[in-house]
Amino acid sequence: MQTRVDFASRDQMIESDVVVLGAGAAGIAAALAAARGGARTTLVEAGPMPGGELISGMAIDGALNARGEWILGGVGREILAECERLGGYIGPLNDWRLIWYVCLDPEVMKLAVARILARSGVRLLLHTFATGVSLEEGRVRTLHVLNKEGRTEIRAPLFIDCSGDADIVRGGGGKVLQGGPDGELQPVSLMFRMAGVRTEPLLEFLHAHPEHFALGESDAIRQGRTDQELANAARVQGEPTVFLKGNGPLVSGAIERGELYPTALIMMQPTSRHRAEVCLNTTRIGGIDGTRTSELSATLASLSDQVWQCCEFMRKYVPGFEHATYSGVATRVGVRETRRIEGLEFLTQHDVLSARKREDGIGKGSHHVDIHQSGTGQIRIPVEGGGSYDIPWGCLLPKGLRNVAVAGRIISADREAHGSARVMGPCLAMGHAAGSAAAMLLELDGDDFTLIEVRALRERLRAEGAILDGTH
């Protein structure tokens, strides 16, 4: 006769005012905003470290528009300020093709995120998996989680789903969408870093051979300049913010020879001047559903092979990388797209590309419509005039779940708009809005996000430093 022994059999209960599921960029911002508004806030994260893509090495897209105007303020900028205080902030840089992004040291950002969460009084539960919810009269009343201490019920009047996979919304019966018309999903990737990169030879290579690089893909960046003039501008900027294109002769030739895996890009972004280090965004495996653990786990070996293959390619063919060394990898495989909610409002491709402004906007986005495809394919469509669009409050409110708001890449949007809004800048802005809205509701003894007066929420966000007006 078999005897079963559970490692985690103890049942316990936690009371909270606000529960945030997922400690990526959106979840961190939501938890900070709620806690600073006076709410007892619990932040639940399955991994060993809060931060998500903020600590992957990837620069922050969508914090500035293509004109170089800041569109992110508030909590997001406070996180960056903490990173700067610790010496890990590089700042905004132009990529000379489509966007400006904000570069930072992920190793320093790990400390910055932990410190700012602790100072704000957020209760952080790491290594903790959400297993389900309890519902009552159309509201989520309890989030069930599991960790080594046992099973825990976290009870609260308000929940913010920043899981990236819409776990609370789906568990609560809300409708979710996934991928494209045929269920296709953007490929997964693994960010990695190389140190000992010499910037001057890299930029001289760009200047001598601009045909290998993506340049001036938006009018806002190009401004009537030739590729050679853009290469000159990149050399003047003096940072390793360059983009080898997959259909350029250097990369495509290596792919044809079998020296490199099929990819649309090799994006380089500085992470540390002291270490002469850059992050590279290039690896990819398509056809993976990130909500299927076995599928996602199986990609790690192949992605690791791609990392090493790219390191060898860079050392062999790209000036400035001759003596560079592999220096680090993201803490997890990066997932661009799984589920997204059906909300009270729906962000569309037209909203994004036309830089639409709205009176119910609670944050901004500016990233191009960006849909990575398997192999060498990628869709990149810039926002009109290099401007920004407003994200309406209703895109954060799932239909049928009154005490749940969302933030991050599960936003209510069509697939093309999602391809813009999924990046970290908008995720930080959405998290700030959701957390502040939760604090507002608690002050009114409410538990219905749909009853929030958007004008009052916008006033509060402005007072907290969010940028809602005055940009292209």
Side-chain angles (χ1 to χ4, degrees):
M1 182 177 178
Q2 292 183 336
T3 300
R4 172 175 169 167
V5 178
D6 289 335
F7 293 140
S9 59
R10 186 166 58 135
D11 292 332
Q12 52 190 327
M13 187 265 289
I14 294 174
E15 294 281 357
S16 193
D17 294 327
V18 178
V19 176
V20 180
L21 178 61
I28 290 165
L32 287 171
R36 290 177 176 184
R40 295 176 302 161
T41 303
T42 303
L43 177 59
V44 177
E45 167 59 35
M49 183 81 68
E53 293 305 317
L54 281 172
I55 60 173
S56 70
M58 181 72 179
I60 298 176
D61 295 338
L64 296 88
N65 62 24
R67 293 168 172 262
E69 298 174 324
W70 277 98
I71 62 166
L72 174 69
V75 169
R77 295 286 286 278
E78 292 177 34
I79 296 169
L80 293 176
E82 179 67 13
C83 188
E84 185 171 18
R85 277 191 288 273
L86 299 179
Y89 182 72
I90 294 173
L93 294 171
N94 196 330
D95 79 346
W96 305 105
R97 57 181 187 110
L98 279 170
I99 57 175
W100 284 73
Y101 41 52
V102 181
C103 296
L104 52 89
D105 186 336
E107 296 303 320
V108 175
M109 181 57 88
K110 290 174 183 177
L111 304 181
V113 168
R115 285 160 57 95
I116 200 168
L117 286 172
R119 284 204 305 268
S120 299
V122 174
R123 176 198 285 131
L124 178 62
L125 293 178
L126 299 174
H127 308 283
T128 300
F129 293 84
T131 61
V133 296
S134 293
L135 303 169
E136 182 182 321
E137 298 178 350
R139 285 169 166 77
V140 174
R141 296 303 186 195
T142 304
L143 180 69
H144 300 275
V145 302
L146 178 68
N147 57 32
K148 281 184 176 285
E149 292 186 34
R151 296 180 293 266
T152 301
E153 293 183 1
I154 310 178
R155 297 178 185 172
L158 297 171
F159 294 82
I160 303 176
D161 189 341
C162 301
S163 64
D165 300 317
D167 290 332
I168 292 178
V169 173
R170 184 168 175 265
K175 185 175 180 181
V176 296
L177 308 170
Q178 184 157 335
D182 299 318
E184 64 272 22
L185 296 163
Q186 297 193 54
V188 300
S189 295
L190 187 62
M191 303 296 167
F192 68 98
R193 290 173 279 137
M194 296 183 74
V197 176
R198 294 182 301 137
T199 299
E200 185 175 349
L202 174 63
L203 296 181
E204 289 298 330
F205 179 55
L206 165 65
H207 184 259
H209 294 284
E211 68 273 14
H212 299 313
F213 296 84
L215 296 164
E217 292 183 3
S218 80
D219 292 339
I221 297 294
R222 184 167 287 280
Q223 296 180 6
R225 295 175 286 187
T226 65
D227 283 1
Q228 193 65 63
E229 288 171 328
L230 289 169
N232 287 337
R235 190 165 59 169
V236 170
Q237 180 174 257
E239 295 285 357
T241 56
V242 295
F243 185 116
L244 286 167
K245 56 188 179 182
N247 59 358
L250 181 62
V251 175
S252 64
I255 294 171
E256 290 172 6
R257 295 190 302 271
E259 293 184 82
L260 195 64
Y261 47 89
T263 184
L265 54 91
I266 301 177
M267 179 188 292
M268 290 162 259
Q269 303 163 327
T271 52
S272 170
R273 293 187 179 113
H274 176 71
R275 299 190 298 271
E277 183 183 78
V278 301
C279 176
L280 294 97
N281 175 10
T282 170
T283 64
R284 58 179 50 206
I285 296 179
I288 300 298
D289 183 345
T291 66
R292 297 182 179 274
T293 303
S294 58
E295 283 188 21
L296 188 61
S297 300
T299 66
L300 184 58
S302 295
L303 288 169
S304 298
D305 288 343
Q306 290 183 11
V307 166
W308 201 249
Q309 191 175 27
C310 188
C311 286
E312 293 182 336
F313 166 83
M314 298 299 288
R315 283 191 287 261
K316 185 174 182 180
Y317 292 109
V318 181
F321 281 81
E322 297 92 340
H323 305 292
T325 58
Y326 165 81
S327 57
V329 69
T331 59
R332 63 184 185 184
V333 174
V335 179
R336 294 181 172 91
E337 176 185 31
T338 55
R339 307 181 187 115
R340 59 189 191 275
I341 70 162
E342 184 173 307
L344 300 184
E345 294 284 345
F346 201 66
L347 189 70
T348 68
Q349 174 176 275
H350 176 73
D351 296 333
V352 169
L353 296 183
S354 65
R356 182 184 177 188
K357 308 299 189 293
R358 305 176 55 126
E359 293 184 355
D360 58 351
I362 48 74
K364 291 180 176 288
S366 64
H367 196 64
H368 49 284
V369 169
D370 184 10
I371 301 178
H372 293 246
Q373 299 166 313
S374 297
T376 59
Q378 186 182 2
I379 296 169
R380 301 194 292 267
I381 310 174
V383 175
E384 181 180 298
S388 63
Y389 57 90
D390 289 351
I391 300 170
W393 172 232
C395 289
L396 278 57
L397 302 179
K399 289 182 178 178
L401 287 172
R402 293 179 176 274
N403 71 328
V404 177
V406 311
R409 63 178 168 87
I410 62 174
I411 180 178
S412 177
D414 65 27
R415 190 173 188 235
E416 292 73 22
H418 171 270
S420 169
R422 64 180 173 81
V423 299
M424 283 186 276
C427 288
L428 287 163
M430 286 185 269
H432 181 182
S436 291
M440 281 180 64
L441 270 181
L442 291 168
E443 291 167 5
L444 301 171
D445 293 322
D447 67 349
D448 187 340
F449 280 108
T450 68
L451 297 182
I452 286 279
E453 184 184 351
V454 179
R455 185 189 308 178
L457 175 57
R458 282 165 58 89
E459 289 175 359
R460 183 177 185 125
L461 291 171
R462 288 190 191 99
E464 294 170 348
I467 296 175
L468 302 181
D469 315 287
T471 64
H472 289 86

